[in-house]
Amino acid sequence: MLYLQNLFLFQITSRPLPYVPSWIVIFLFIQTILLLYLYLYSPKLLWMPLRALIDHRIRRELLESKKSFQYRLLYLLDLVFLISLSFLLYFLMRDKPSTTEVLSALPFLFNKPEITLYFFILGASALGLIIKKQIFIGIAQLFDEMQRYYIFIFNMDMLQKFFGLITFPVIFAYSFDIIQSPFILNFIMTLNIIIYLLFLILSFASVAHKVWIDYINFILYLCALEIIPLLFFLKLLFN
């Protein structure tokens, strides 16, 4: 009898399992498989982007082996970053009144508005990252400065991979209600933005033999491809 009472109390006080949509589970499973594959291939690969940012020797080795299979495996971290970034934006925008109003005004999203919103964010994020990188490379080629700015581009690429690695556990925990406060998501987003902008400036400072045109190009790049999109996103998020 006492056992049945304890069991009954445990069922009442225990925390129910959260409901997680199947499409979210699928994306989290894909990220987990990618990270597990990298870990089984070589545990050092997971921390290679961070090591490349702080260790000149690792950076030189990666630059000299860009066509190797090991380097190409790091592209999997780009996919992890893209999915995590899209989830971060999705969770921040999902419960906003402005987002709900927009979704309710579109009849073709009525059946599955959440997954449609996520795929829209995923596509927009992928397109934005591609456009930003190609514009910067185009500017460097236009002024025949590709060689000098190559380390700058490489650092930004490694930082992006590292962000995907550290953001994934937070997204995973938030999806399964292990973390329930949206403040954590805002903190992670803000921290990533601050680190990214600071590292952007430090990477530009490491470019050798800068002249006045370099500063003008960097200011144009910072405003057009970093600050303006950030302000647009903040206006959309906190409207």
Side-chain angles (χ1 to χ4, degrees):
M1 188 66 179
L2 182 60
Y3 171 77
L4 293 177
Q5 290 178 351
N6 292 335
L7 180 61
F8 179 74
L9 291 174
F10 173 77
Q11 290 177 346
I12 293 178
T13 58
S14 63
R15 183 179 176 183
L17 293 176
Y19 169 73
V20 182
S22 57
W23 63 271
I24 292 182
V25 175
I26 291 175
F27 276 105
L28 294 177
F29 180 74
I30 291 174
Q31 290 178 288
T32 303
I33 291 298
L34 293 178
L35 293 175
L36 182 61
Y37 174 73
L38 288 174
Y39 178 80
L40 293 177
Y41 181 85
S42 176
K44 295 181 180 180
L45 275 180
L46 291 178
W47 302 107
M48 191 66 72
L50 177 61
R51 295 176 62 194
L53 292 172
I54 61 180
D55 191 333
H56 294 287
R57 183 179 59 84
I58 299 297
R59 181 188 308 167
R60 185 175 63 253
E61 291 177 357
L62 284 178
L63 288 173
E64 293 175 352
S65 61
K66 289 202 65 175
K67 294 184 179 180
S68 66
F69 178 73
Q70 185 180 24
Y71 183 88
R72 291 177 180 178
L73 281 178
L74 292 177
Y75 289 122
L76 297 179
L77 291 178
D78 290 329
L79 183 57
V80 173
F81 167 75
L82 180 60
I83 296 176
S84 295
L85 174 65
S86 301
F87 267 125
L88 191 60
L89 298 177
Y90 166 77
F91 287 135
L92 289 174
M93 296 175 61
R94 180 180 58 181
D95 299 325
K96 295 294 180 181
S98 57
T99 305
T100 305
E101 292 176 2
V102 171
L103 293 178
S104 62
L106 300 176
F108 59 89
L109 300 182
F110 182 77
N111 292 329
K112 295 182 178 180
E114 291 191 355
I115 187 174
T116 308
L117 173 63
Y118 177 76
F119 274 110
F120 173 79
I121 295 174
L122 182 66
S125 300
L127 184 62
L129 291 173
I130 293 173
I131 291 176
K132 186 178 73 170
K133 184 174 182 179
Q134 293 304 317
I135 289 178
F136 181 79
I137 292 176
I139 293 174
Q141 291 177 340
L142 178 65
F143 291 94
D144 195 21
E145 298 288 352
M146 195 64 191
Q147 188 64 31
R148 292 172 58 225
Y149 280 87
Y150 191 72
I151 299 297
F152 180 86
I153 298 173
F154 176 82
N155 287 343
M156 293 300 101
D157 191 41
M158 291 295 110
L159 190 63
Q160 174 179 297
K161 292 175 170 57
F162 176 67
F163 280 163
L165 188 63
I166 62 175
T167 305
F168 168 71
V170 178
I171 296 300
F172 188 93
Y174 191 83
S175 299
F176 286 94
D177 286 346
I178 301 173
I179 296 176
Q180 297 181 337
S181 174
F183 171 79
I184 301 297
L185 299 182
N186 287 291
F187 174 76
I188 292 296
M189 174 63 78
T190 304
L191 182 63
N192 285 350
I193 291 174
I194 292 175
I195 293 176
Y196 178 77
L197 292 177
L198 288 176
F199 205 87
L200 197 70
I201 297 173
L202 292 176
S203 296
F204 174 73
S206 65
V207 175
H209 311 299
K210 293 185 292 295
V211 295
W212 65 271
I213 194 66
D214 293 319
Y215 293 96
I216 294 178
N217 290 337
F218 180 72
I219 293 174
L220 290 175
Y221 164 79
L222 195 64
C223 293
L225 298 180
E226 301 294 346
I227 296 179
I228 292 178
L230 176 61
L231 293 177
F232 177 79
F233 167 71
L234 292 177
K235 178 177 175 57
L236 179 66
L237 190 61
F238 297 105
N239 188 7

